[in-house]
Amino acid sequence: MILVAGSANIDFITRVAHIPVPGETVLGQTYLTAAGGKGANQAVAAARAGAPVEFLGALGADHFAELIRDSLRLSGVGLRTMVSDQPTGAAFISVSDQGENAITVSPGANTTLQAKQLGALGAYRYLVLQLEIPLEVVQYYAQSAKAQGVTVILNASPAQPLAPELLAAVDILVVNQGELAQYSGKSEGLEQQLRQMQARGPQTITVTLGAQGSLTLSGHEYLETPAFAVPVVDTTGAGDTFVGVLAALLDEGASLPEALHHASAGAAIACTRVGAQPSMPTRAEIEALVAGR
Ligand code: RIB
């Protein structure tokens, strides 16, 4: 069983010809409202990939919270959601015609998740975390999990300075290329950057590389996982799908290369559809892509 602890947002998604630069106004198309937030997204991705999953997060007392709960429930995620006095988190997402995105998050209720809400972790094999809830809470959760023998997966996104104690409690770190460069400072080259991060705690580190797939350092071994070539419509939620599917496959006992291969397929499918949670594939869809159908 997997526990995903993190953010839940309501996403307002607008398609634009290009992402606006500072000071620019761009006219977009009709906006779409959908459930999002890195934490909730990763829980949905893992559940649709077939894993038993619970989500721990904080939502406002508003109608957006209901929409998010419905999306989680319909995907088979067990709910451990708190009701906050802050509004449900919101994300304002522009998606360009090239499929790139720019996201502004107003975290609201996500800032009110607390250390005491974690509880005992006896039921879980994996704890999946991201960085859209308070950093001290992420660190407390990671350290509690580590102390209880639960494997900790951290998607260290969005990038921010991380305490050594947090990284020391992480088993598997997943970042994108920009995040890896920020975390590893002046190190040059992906392999050196991965080694630099490994020296700070996590024994397995994956850097996702978009259309180039991903590179993983696990122990002393490097694993290259190719991407699946797909027509890209919207990359929003692709990284979350990767993390959720990776956790799901590892939880069911798959090898790391197999889990990475499925995560790559899941992320590719998410890129072919609009939105975060609406774009996430079922296990059958992932298996079909892996099998080349
Ligand atoms: O990773 C994509 C997610 O980032 C979106 O769903 C948005 O809510 C932000 O949290």
Side-chain angles (χ1 to χ4, degrees):
M1 165 109 90
I2 299 169
L3 177 65
V4 181
S7 59
N9 295 329
I10 184 76
D11 289 351
F12 297 94
I13 307 158
T14 311
R15 190 139 203 119
V16 288
H18 64 272
I19 305 290
V21 296
E24 184 183 15
T25 301
V26 177
L27 288 182
Q29 299 173 11
T30 311
Y31 73 89
L32 170 80
T33 311
K38 294 186 194 305
N41 292 347
Q42 292 173 18
V44 164
R48 290 196 193 153
V53 186
E54 289 183 353
F55 172 69
L56 172 62
L59 299 166
D62 46 42
H63 68 280
F64 293 136
E66 260 328 292
L67 198 149
I68 292 168
R69 279 195 203 93
D70 283 348
S71 178
L72 288 161
R73 270 195 216 104
L74 283 172
S75 305
V77 177
L79 297 186
R80 288 182 52 188
T81 48
M82 315 294 145
V83 180
S84 165
D85 57 358
Q86 297 293 308
T88 296
F92 304 92
I93 305 178
S94 300
V95 181
S96 76
D97 286 344
Q98 290 71 46
E100 294 168 318
N101 64 44
I103 304 179
T104 305
V105 175
S106 171
N110 294 308
T111 62
T112 65
L113 200 64
Q114 294 172 19
K116 66 179 183 203
Q117 285 152 348
L118 184 66
L121 293 171
Y124 308 107
R125 288 185 65 208
Y126 284 87
L127 174 66
V128 180
L129 299 163
Q130 324 72 33
L131 301 179
E132 287 187 330
I133 58 172
L135 216 42
E136 66 275 14
V137 175
V138 175
Q139 185 174 324
Y140 177 85
Y141 287 5
Q143 288 177 316
S144 301
K146 185 89 176 167
Q148 294 177 60
V150 176
T151 302
V152 178
I153 301 179
L154 174 65
N155 173 216
S157 178
Q160 50 202 289
L162 300 181
E165 296 82 2
L166 169 56
L167 280 173
V170 172
D171 297 290
I172 301 173
L173 180 72
V174 182
V175 285
N176 66 26
Q177 200 168 357
E179 289 156 355
L180 180 64
Q182 285 190 53
Y183 287 126
S184 55
K186 293 199 171 71
S187 313
E188 277 175 26
L190 286 179
E191 295 194 358
Q192 198 187 332
Q193 290 176 348
L194 291 172
R195 280 199 302 275
Q196 212 259 34
M197 293 309 292
Q198 195 182 50
R200 293 160 68 185
Q203 283 313 288
T204 299
I205 303 145
T206 293
V207 57
T208 57
L209 304 166
Q212 274 68 55
S214 64
L215 180 65
T216 298
L217 173 61
S218 188
H220 297 294
E221 200 185 350
Y222 287 97
L223 298 166
E224 280 182 46
T225 308
F228 289 78
V230 290
V232 174
V233 171
D234 175 7
T235 57
T236 310
D240 298 330
T241 307
F242 186 97
V243 174
V245 176
L246 178 71
L249 269 285
L250 291 175
D251 184 59
E252 71 182 38
S255 67
L256 183 61
E258 191 187 350
L260 288 164
H261 192 51
H262 281 72
S264 186
I269 296 169
C271 289
T272 65
R273 303 169 183 158
V274 176
Q277 288 172 39
S279 73
M280 291 173 172
T282 62
R283 180 61 176 266
E285 290 176 310
I286 295 171
E287 293 298 346
L289 186 57
V290 167
R293 295 197 296 277

